[in-house]
Amino acid sequence: MALSLTAYLITAQLDNLEQAFKERGKAIAQEVAAASFYGIFSGDIESLSLNLKPIVKRKDILSIIVNDAQGKLLLSIGKHTENNIDVANHNFTKSSFFFTSVQTNFRIANVADYPDQLQSTQDDIAPAIIGSIVVELDKTGLVVQQRNSIITSLIISITGLILTALIAVFLSQKITRPLSKLTQAVIRMKHGDFSATVPEISTGELRSLEEGVNAMARTLKFNQEILQQQVDRATSDLTQTMEALEIQNVELDLARKRALKASQAKSEFLANMSHEIRTPMNGVIGFSTLLMKTRLTPEQQELAETIQKSATGLLSIINTILDFSKLEYGKQEPEYAPVDIRSCFEEPIMLLAPAAHEKKLELVLLIYSDVPTTLIGDETRIRQILVNLVGNAIKFTHQGEIIVRVMIEDETDTSCRLQFSVTDTGIGICEHIQKDLFTSFQQGTKETIKTYGGTGLGLSISKKLAESMKGEISVDSVEGKGSCFRVILNLPKCPETVGSLADTALKSRKCTLIDQHPMSQLALSHSLENLGMSVSRIAWEQLGSRVAIDQDLLVIGFSADEITSGLAKDRIAHLQNMIVPNKLLILLSSSDATLHKTMQELSQAPCIQKPVALTALKRTLVQIFTNPASLPAVPEYRSSEAPSFSGRRFIVADDNKINLQLISNILSTSGAEIVEAENGVEVINAYRQQRPDLIIIDVHMPVMDGKEATRQIRELEHGEIHTPIIALSADVIPEHRDALISAGVDIYLTKPVDDNKLWQAIDSLINISHSSSLTTELPLASDENETNSMGALAIHDMQEALRITGGREELADEMFRKFMDDLPQQVALLEQHQADSDWDSLGEVAHRLHGACAVCGVPALKAAVYNLERSAQQREPDDIAAYMRSVGTCCIQLYALDISRNQTRQFSAE
């Protein structure tokens, strides 16, 4: 700013000097013009020169030039006397020219003869120019003055700057330096150096600021020291705590390992105990079954049935414990197949009905009309959940009713959300116990445990079974009023189309239904309508009306209360005096055979129990309308007949002589030759000597167990004819079963063995052709029951497919064709999810594919997909890659089989 001000002052000063110089030049030029007037006007040059000489002698005037009106030079005097002035090339830094004109108002008048005729007057005459003056002034003085002005201004400015600098230095010593020290001290304190202090040398407000900063530094330092002590103390405590936690972690880790070992030992113990118990149970149940097939007196038959029922009850307890063990072990495997929904729910209800009737409870099964007839699921597990829930309802209900409802909660084109609920009017469950109700060994209050007993595993098993099928279970209960358990399962639809259950003898028949229990009446009404009948529900008071008389059939249901009070007998007796339909059916909420016989004799009409299976109801109604003279007879017991395997040779191996004798006796009824062995060595020797058609071998045997014997037999085959091997064991641990399958076992059955399952397994293995060979690139399967390269599981088991579809070959072929059409897309999804490492989606696709395999008779692919699903759940990339290769191999074999079948059909058609 000082420099700008100095420049402005210098410029103004120079402009003033320049302006003064110009004014002087103009004044001198006017002076010269006045002095030159006479000489120019008179033309007297000498006089003109004398007048101008005093003026030109002035030191700053360099020359004076006088010209007449025509520009002719009259006089030039001075230092520069050039006649012509070259303004363009003149150096104006040394001198300047000033021009002016010489004028006069005097004119010579023209005298005319007539003066009054003059055109203008004297006042109108303008001044006349008679000459011009040029004055050249020297600018040396001006330049000197300008230089002096600049120097003076600069000196003043520099002096001002110096004084300003001195003042600034002085102020910095007093203000800026203390502030800088304060800033440095604050920065040091900011970085944790609280020892920084400021010299207290200033005065006034700066002194107060310095004292405040020093006080703050001392306070911060003191607080830091206290904080550091606290941190050190806390660090010491934390170190001790960390050491204690580390010790605890080590102890917890050891405890966890001990717990895992204990859990494994428990599972092994349960498996071993089940094996030890199942082995004698196998003999008890098996021989009691054989005994009942012989001719017995009624007393002996009753004793044999008691033995079998007791053994079956004990086996049920063992199965419950094993189910819990398997579920806790995480190895309960759902097996998907078409499920007849009605039989799946009706049969368990029929089995549990006697227990409900014994407690005078009304047991009702209500299957809604929109529920599909057939779905794909694990029927065994669904039944197990239902039996657990209904069994608990019967156990904890003393009066009232138990309602089982089956309905559709949601539905798509390919699947549905099935819900079934069990509602009772029992003791209920208090709210604080409900949250832990599905926990293992949870049985409610101590009083409940003492009164009702039990293991506390039923609901836990039910929950795990539901979750294993991608479902859920929940409960709503009010203490003292009852409970409602709901199970929701997502089940695929079955492509099978089921025909109507209606019979020609029942269609368009009119039926009157009387049942005082509303839900029982509704369930019976639905059943009768499903059979094609037209149902009218009325009360007892309407029985004699025209509406009831015009009907073809009267169906009456009696509750347990009506039976106990004798009201049922009274009402049946009164029917004899009333006009009612000729045909009558009585349903009793009782399983007492004596009561049924009494009521049947009293009413002269068929008497059956309720709830009643739809097939039994249909059979009874058809008999009423087609053969009304005879009453339904008690169904006769028919034992299963053994298939014929005459000419076959079976090796049977078991170290338990009772079980060995049992299996031998069962198999001998088929006409096969039986070779017995008590250990694996004897099995191998018999195999070498006699080359059997089938080997049934126990797993746990002395000298050599079943697994090692199976492995050696597979080595002895050397790719020759495959010998089917069935393993029998009471061991249910999945890893042991998988190890046996890997060793070469074809089918694994658990003890005690059911005759029908054993015959079915033998039949499926004996009738499979094992002579075809497979190439490594594209297998050319020549038989639909061709086995895969491992020789353990069939590529396509047609007999299994027929068993699933109830012997309907067209349905089995249709399901297999749809399965093959969809298989490439499913495999592509598996490969995509594997490439993306999306194990959850991979597991879901594998789960769906496993369900489809279960209903199409492709056991090899089913096993591979199941292993893939389990590996996806465990997120093991190496195992997933291995099982993906297994799935790919099975798919190639299925593609080859499908191509072979299509070519065969095309050739046959041609």
Side-chain angles (χ1 to χ4, degrees), residues 561-733:
D561 292 337
E562 290 176 307
I563 296 171
T564 305
S565 64
L567 183 59
K569 290 183 179 181
D570 294 340
R571 285 182 169 174
I572 290 177
H574 291 160
L575 290 176
Q576 308 301 326
N577 302 323
M578 299 180 67
I579 301 176
V580 296
N582 295 327
K583 295 177 177 59
L584 177 65
L585 175 62
I586 306 296
L587 291 99
L588 303 176
S589 185
S590 173
S591 302
D592 188 350
T594 304
L595 176 63
H596 279 248
K597 184 177 180 180
T598 302
M599 298 295 282
Q600 186 166 293
E601 293 174 350
L602 180 62
S603 62
Q604 291 299 304
C607 290
I608 57 177
Q609 77 168 17
K610 65 169 183 174
V612 60
L614 189 62
T615 54
L617 179 62
K618 177 181 177 181
R619 182 174 61 250
T620 304
L621 291 174
V622 170
Q623 185 175 3
I624 290 174
F625 286 106
T626 58
N627 189 14
S630 63
L631 297 178
V634 179
E636 296 181 357
Y637 171 76
R638 293 187 302 171
S639 61
S640 59
E641 296 182 358
S644 176
F645 293 116
S646 180
R648 302 282 188 174
R649 180 182 293 115
F650 298 162
I651 295 179
V652 180
D654 200 312
D655 61 318
N656 187 292
K657 292 184 179 181
I658 297 176
N659 288 338
L660 182 60
Q661 180 185 358
L662 173 63
I663 300 298
S664 298
N665 289 342
I666 293 174
L667 296 178
S668 62
T669 59
S670 67
E673 177 186 349
I674 308 301
V675 179
E676 296 183 352
E678 295 185 358
N679 56 60
V681 175
E682 294 181 6
V683 172
I684 293 175
N685 293 335
Y687 172 81
R688 287 173 174 169
Q689 296 171 4
Q690 305 187 33
R691 292 293 176 174
D693 298 295
L694 177 73
I695 299 175
I696 300 177
I697 189 170
D698 185 34
V699 177
H700 299 282
M701 296 186 297
V703 185
M704 181 184 292
D705 61 14
K707 177 182 176 182
E708 180 62 23
T710 301
R711 188 185 63 79
Q712 292 191 19
I713 289 172
R714 295 303 181 216
E715 291 177 355
L716 291 172
E717 289 177 349
H718 297 298
E720 298 177 0
I721 296 176
H722 179 84
T723 303
I725 298 178
I726 298 176
L728 297 179
S729 177
D731 191 344
V732 294
I733 294 180

Side-chain angles (χ1 to χ4, degrees), residues 702-777:
V703 185
M704 181 184 292
D705 61 14
K707 177 182 176 182
E708 180 62 23
T710 301
R711 188 185 63 79
Q712 292 191 19
I713 289 172
R714 295 303 181 216
E715 291 177 355
L716 291 172
E717 289 177 349
H718 297 298
E720 298 177 0
I721 296 176
H722 179 84
T723 303
I725 298 178
I726 298 176
L728 297 179
S729 177
D731 191 344
V732 294
I733 294 180
E735 281 77 3
H736 297 172
R737 183 202 59 190
D738 293 342
L740 284 166
I741 297 296
S742 300
V745 168
D746 294 278
I747 294 179
Y748 184 96
L749 297 177
T750 56
K751 298 177 182 178
V753 180
D754 180 77
D755 294 6
N756 292 328
K757 290 184 178 179
L758 180 60
W759 292 130
Q760 183 182 0
I762 295 174
D763 186 66
S764 65
L765 293 175
I766 290 297
N767 292 326
I768 291 178
S769 173
H770 302 281
S771 58
S772 298
S773 60
L774 300 173
T775 63
T776 57
E777 295 181 0

Side-chain angles (χ1 to χ4, degrees), residues 12-13 133 158 165 229 267 289 335 337 390 455 478 535 548 572 606 627 653 709 718 835 890:
Q13 187 68 22
I133 303 298
I158 293 171
Q229 293 176 1
S267 299
T289 302
E335 298 179 358
V390 177
T455 61
V478 178
V535 182
I572 290 177
N627 189 14
H718 297 298
C890 294

Side-chain angles (χ1 to χ4, degrees), residues 296-320:
L296 301 174
T297 64
E299 292 81 6
Q300 292 172 336
Q301 182 74 23
E302 184 178 356
L303 292 175
E305 290 177 354
T306 302
I307 292 173
Q308 190 177 43
K309 288 181 181 179
S310 300
T312 304
L314 178 58
L315 183 62
S316 177
I317 296 175
I318 296 171
N319 288 336
T320 300

